[in-house]
Amino acid sequence: MDISTKTDAPPPAPQPTVAEQKRAARGATRPGDRIFLGLSRGSGILLLAIMAAIAVFLTYRAALAISKDHANFLTTFEWNTNVLEPKFGIAVLVFGTIVSSVVAMVIAVPVAVAIALFITHYAPRRMSGPVAYVIDLLAAVPSIVYGLWGALVLVPHMNGLFGWLDDFFGWTGVFSWDQGAPRSMLTVGILLAIMILPIITNVSREVFRQVPQTHEEAALALGATRWEVVRMSVLPFGRSGVISASMLGLGRALGETMAVATVLSPSFDIQASLLNPGGGTFAQNIASKFSEANEFGRDALIASGLVLFVITLLVNGAARLIIARRAEYSGANA
Amino acid sequence: MKLQRKNRLRALSLGAVAVTGALALTACGSDDNGGGGNASGNPSTSAGAGSIKCDNAKGQLLADGSSAQKNAIDAWVKNFSQACGVQINYKGGGSGAGVTAFTQGQVAFAGSDSALKPEEVTASKSVCKGGQGIDLPMVGGPIALGYNVPGVDNLVLDAPTIAKIFDSKITKWNDPAIAALNKGAKLPDLKIQAFHRSDESGTTDNFTKYLIATTPDNWKYSGGKAWQAKGGQSAPQSAGVAQQVKQTSGAIGYFELSYVKDGLKAVSIDTGASKPVAPSSESATADIAAAQVVGTGKDLSLKLDYKTKAEGAYPITLVTYEIVCDKGNKADTLPATKAFLRYIAGEDGQKILPSIGYAPVPDEIIAKVRTTIEGLS
């Protein structure tokens, strides 16, 4: 604080003004601080400016397209932009995107949590390392490779599962199957589940590892079994962390492009059954229509991208709400 | 020290896994792609390479457009660049991408499955100083209906049946409508799996134009590059559709003739002529011969006759165009563009087409194309 210590004779103690006191309270203002403040403030503003530019661009191009749409943008089951009276709508895409992601989450979250628990609490230390490493490797596989594997290996092997589901659960309608090639929403969901598994597992593992030793020891001292320890101290502590992890996974599932485009048999109608081919997702539709689209068609695809963006925002917002409400029960966000 | 060695070992084994993995994966990848491009066999590369007139052609040509004619362009480019030393880079990114690149002045010529629309002609005027973009028909080709039905070798269908099959109105192979067209064939009690394109495509556009023209009562959709009928299954690109049809018992799909191979069979069309017509280069050329030039001025866009009943004329055909400026081509690429177009419209260029599954443009029309090419400036 005191900048005048060079002289031998101590100067009379300066009377700090109110402004100086305030500045002192805020912290020092040497050049380094000011430069760093400027840099970080600049980065923040730059980010906002970029986001605003993207939003303006998306909204402008989307508005151009939607104003020329000869059908209802929200409810039309058709995407035909290359004709005189273009018609396009996102109903099928919203449905397909949400259904495939939900299927993926239903499969991936329990498995990921189980793997994370196994690595942190059950596996011998020598084993947990390699298992965690293999899970990480899953994240390193490019999505087009997943697509190829899905189309050439997974799809041909789904016939047995589909037949079994149709035999026993066909009456529900959700699992009825017309014997088409198994390139349906369920197959896509399974593939997406494999793709989002590593990110959910990794984050959950880190959270479970943070559980205070004392919690677990206390539970053990009360005579809890290992499962009871997990249920009473590990899971409640990690809940919000697992939710955040799932949201990261969901984000990837919502936006996955090439794997879905390769594995799904897309068409512009909604199938009640998860097993019959059909439907489509936002990202898949953009990927498959973009190369032949004219200027207007691209605007229409941008409009659909904007909707995906909004859906992702809503999902993330909802997740934040859930985590905020649960924060008081857990130490993860403390 | 010990630790280090262990780490090194681990890194080595990891590297080995990664390398073998990558090798295995790339092997898969190239297998998969092999079905699409070159499998139709190499064209006779020496065909008349000596007679190509190069004039002042030099430098590099950029082009983009229809993937339907990519195999033909590749064969032509190989011969032409051997003879003249001009590099031609045809991207094959799709007709839409080609036309966009052309109207933005990025390419010397574009390939397209459909003729320029009025607004695209307007857009081309800013690139073609004092002129406009014109369509030159260069490559014809039959769109085959490939099928995979065990025990059925010579399937015959007519337009209404095709429309009903692709509109999910006929769902079994032993349907009476199919049986009536195939007397004596053993049609199985098998579900029909009709495959269409999942991406936008000129092939879809031409196939549905045929259905709209011949059987409007059974095909009530407006057409366009995107598939509109509900139901059925889909796959990306012609290669993708062909592969799915090959894999799926009871499947039928539409794609260029060059994809009909390895056990796939093509439907013969009952057009009302005395015998059903199978897709081939000759039967497609016979159909295009009846096409009318509807372009004005130097534009030579064609109107195909889908309702033809001429003997031996296959009705589901597609013509791809090369799009250039009639006037105002860029001075530095004009000689090369002209020389290349002169070669592909010439006898030597057109002669290659049947060997790679395409159809030559009929004499009367190609003669007009040649005259137009000489007049480009």
Side-chain angles (χ1 to χ4, degrees):
Chain A
M1 298 297 143
D2 195 350
I3 49 165
S4 52
T5 46
K6 271 178 279 175
T7 50
D8 288 327
Q15 293 294 318
T17 61
V18 178
E20 270 171 347
Q21 273 175 336
K22 268 194 186 163
R23 201 182 301 154
R26 262 190 273 137
T29 51
R30 273 166 291 190
D33 284 302
R34 260 179 275 130
I35 292 171
F36 185 71
L37 175 70
L39 277 179
S40 54
R41 184 180 286 163
S43 308
I45 292 172
L46 183 67
L47 176 79
L48 286 180
I50 291 174
M51 290 297 287
I54 292 174
V56 167
F57 164 79
L58 282 182
T59 320
Y60 172 67
R61 298 288 291 265
L64 275 186
I66 294 173
S67 64
K68 288 184 204 151
D69 193 350
H70 280 73
N72 189 319
F73 180 61
L74 296 176
T75 56
T76 304
F77 285 28
E78 192 176 336
W79 197 279
N80 196 7
T81 53
N82 238 326
V83 290
L84 217 55
E85 287 196 352
K87 286 180 185 163
F88 57 94
I90 52 165
V92 172
L93 305 178
V94 172
F95 181 80
T97 303
I98 292 177
V99 165
S100 61
S101 305
V102 166
V103 171
M105 296 296 284
V106 165
I107 299 171
V109 171
V111 175
V113 169
I115 295 174
L117 281 177
F118 174 74
I119 292 172
T120 53
H121 287 83
Y122 287 90
R125 183 151 298 181
R126 195 176 292 181
M127 219 183 129
S128 62
V131 170
Y133 179 72
V134 169
I135 298 283
D136 285 357
L137 266 188
L138 279 181
V141 178
S143 64
I144 184 68
V145 174
Y146 274 111
L148 286 176
W149 176 78
L152 300 175
V153 180
L154 185 64
V155 168
H157 284 86
M158 293 302 282
N159 282 304
L161 174 68
F162 276 33
W164 183 83
L165 282 172
D166 186 37
D167 284 348
F168 290 95
F169 301 102
W171 54 270
T172 56
V174 180
F175 292 110
S176 64
W177 186 38
D178 293 344
Q179 308 289 318
R183 301 164 71 232
S184 72
M185 280 294 165
L186 182 63
T187 315
V188 169
I190 291 172
L191 189 67
L192 287 179
I194 299 171
M195 295 176 72
I196 65 179
L197 196 63
I199 196 159
I200 305 180
T201 309
N202 270 347
V203 179
S204 305
R205 192 186 66 201
E206 288 309 315
V207 176
F208 292 153
R209 208 169 260 162
Q210 308 293 323
V211 176
Q213 202 73 37
T214 49
H215 282 210
E216 293 179 39
E217 281 167 4
L220 285 170
L222 289 170
T225 62
R226 197 185 287 212
W227 163 239
E228 282 164 338
V229 169
V230 165
R231 212 184 54 196
M232 293 191 307
S233 66
V234 178
L235 286 181
F237 181 88
R239 188 174 290 144
S240 60
V242 170
I243 294 173
S244 330
S246 308
M247 289 307 129
L248 283 177
L250 181 59
R252 184 168 186 194
L254 284 172
E256 180 47 46
T257 307
M258 286 321 292
V260 180
T262 320
V263 170
L264 187 66
S265 161
S267 64
F268 261 82
D269 60 346
I270 288 179
Q271 295 281 350
S273 167
L274 285 177
L275 272 51
N276 285 336
T281 73
F282 281 107
Q284 166 269 323
N285 188 53
I286 292 173
S288 59
K289 305 276 194 236
F290 191 76
S291 66
E292 279 286 316
N294 52 17
E295 188 89 19
F296 173 76
R298 284 176 198 179
D299 286 352
L301 291 172
I302 286 171
S304 78
L306 186 64
V307 177
L308 177 60
F309 182 60
V310 171
I311 290 178
T312 315
L313 275 186
L314 289 180
V315 166
N316 275 328
R320 292 240 150 197
L321 272 183
I322 297 172
I323 294 168
R325 203 183 296 163
R326 291 192 183 276
E328 53 198 290
Y329 300 114
S330 101
N333 282 7
Chain B
M1 202 46 210
K2 205 174 169 190
L3 200 77
Q4 269 182 357
R5 203 183 303 147
K6 213 170 159 188
N7 277 342
R8 199 180 301 157
L9 243 176
R10 193 182 287 173
L12 258 179
S13 57
L14 260 182
V17 167
V19 169
T20 42
L23 282 178
L25 290 173
T26 41
C28 280
S30 53
D31 273 357
D32 187 57
N33 297 337
N38 292 324
S40 39
N42 280 327
S44 49
T45 47
S46 58
S51 62
I52 296 174
K53 275 192 246 164
C54 299
D55 292 344
N56 305 323
K58 56 180 175 286
Q60 202 186 9
L61 276 192
L62 287 182
D64 194 1
S66 161
S67 56
Q69 62 168 340
K70 177 128 179 40
N71 290 348
I73 295 270
D74 283 350
W76 282 330
V77 164
K78 198 171 163 196
N79 290 344
F80 185 74
S81 47
Q82 261 174 10
C84 300
V86 176
Q87 267 193 22
I88 299 176
N89 187 354
Y90 183 84
K91 274 205 301 192
S95 306
V99 171
T100 307
F102 179 74
T103 52
Q104 291 174 350
Q106 295 165 2
V107 292
F109 68 91
S112 176
D113 302 336
S114 37
L116 288 172
K117 291 181 185 146
E119 68 268 22
E120 290 166 346
V121 172
T122 314
S124 73
K125 283 179 181 162
S126 63
V127 177
C128 308
K129 298 277 176 276
Q132 63 172 53
I134 53 169
D135 305 288
L136 301 173
M138 261 337 159
V139 188
I143 301 174
L145 290 164
Y147 66 94
N148 174 1
V149 185
V152 181
D153 285 332
N154 292 306
L155 190 65
V156 178
L157 297 173
D158 60 3
T161 327
I162 294 170
K164 284 177 195 162
I165 286 175
F166 279 92
D167 203 15
S168 313
K169 298 274 166 30
I170 295 179
T171 57
K172 290 275 189 179
W173 280 110
N174 59 358
D175 190 280
I178 302 177
L181 290 163
N182 294 276
K183 296 203 174 73
K186 274 189 214 150
L187 295 165
D189 178 18
L190 188 66
K191 189 182 152 58
I192 298 179
Q193 320 250 14
F195 277 90
H196 57 261
R197 292 279 292 268
S198 62
D199 48 340
E200 301 204 354
S201 158
T203 315
T204 301
D205 195 13
N206 282 281
F207 176 59
T208 51
K209 266 184 196 156
Y210 161 74
L211 294 177
I212 291 167
T214 49
T215 173
D217 293 343
N218 293 307
W219 196 261
K220 300 193 166 165
Y221 304 98
S222 63
K225 288 183 177 180
W227 185 258
Q228 287 169 289
K230 308 297 178 204
Q233 298 192 46
S234 60
Q237 313 280 347
S238 288
V241 174
Q243 199 210 353
Q244 288 299 328
V245 173
K246 210 177 297 171
Q247 275 181 4
T248 315
S249 183
I252 184 169
Y254 59 91
F255 30 77
E256 286 79 31
L257 182 64
S258 54
Y259 294 101
V260 178
K261 55 181 188 288
D262 306 338
L264 278 182
K265 282 159 280 191
V267 172
S268 298
I269 308 287
D270 183 350
T271 58
S274 65
K275 267 192 300 185
V277 190
S280 71
S281 301
E282 299 80 47
S283 61
T285 304
D287 178 55
I288 301 170
Q292 290 182 331
V293 175
V294 292
T296 51
K298 291 186 172 175
D299 188 275
L300 292 173
S301 58
L302 301 179
K303 188 168 191 296
L304 293 167
D305 181 14
Y306 297 109
K307 288 195 221 171
T308 182
K309 286 182 185 172
E311 294 296 322
Y314 185 79
I316 321 175
T317 46
L318 165 153
V319 171
T320 65
Y321 301 95
E322 311 309 330
I323 294 172
V324 288
C325 295
D326 58 351
K327 279 178 209 143
N329 285 289
K330 285 191 189 111
D332 50 340
T333 56
L334 180 65
T337 312
K338 248 172 120 164
F340 180 66
L341 293 178
R342 185 181 295 135
Y343 160 60
I344 68 178
E347 268 173 43
D348 293 334
Q350 294 285 313
K351 208 164 59 185
I352 298 174
L353 291 174
S355 64
I356 45 178
Y358 293 101
V361 178
D363 295 338
E364 199 183 320
I365 299 169
I366 202 76
K368 288 181 190 163
V369 174
R370 287 173 193 153
T371 323
T372 311
I373 291 170
E374 295 312 320
L376 295 180
S377 59

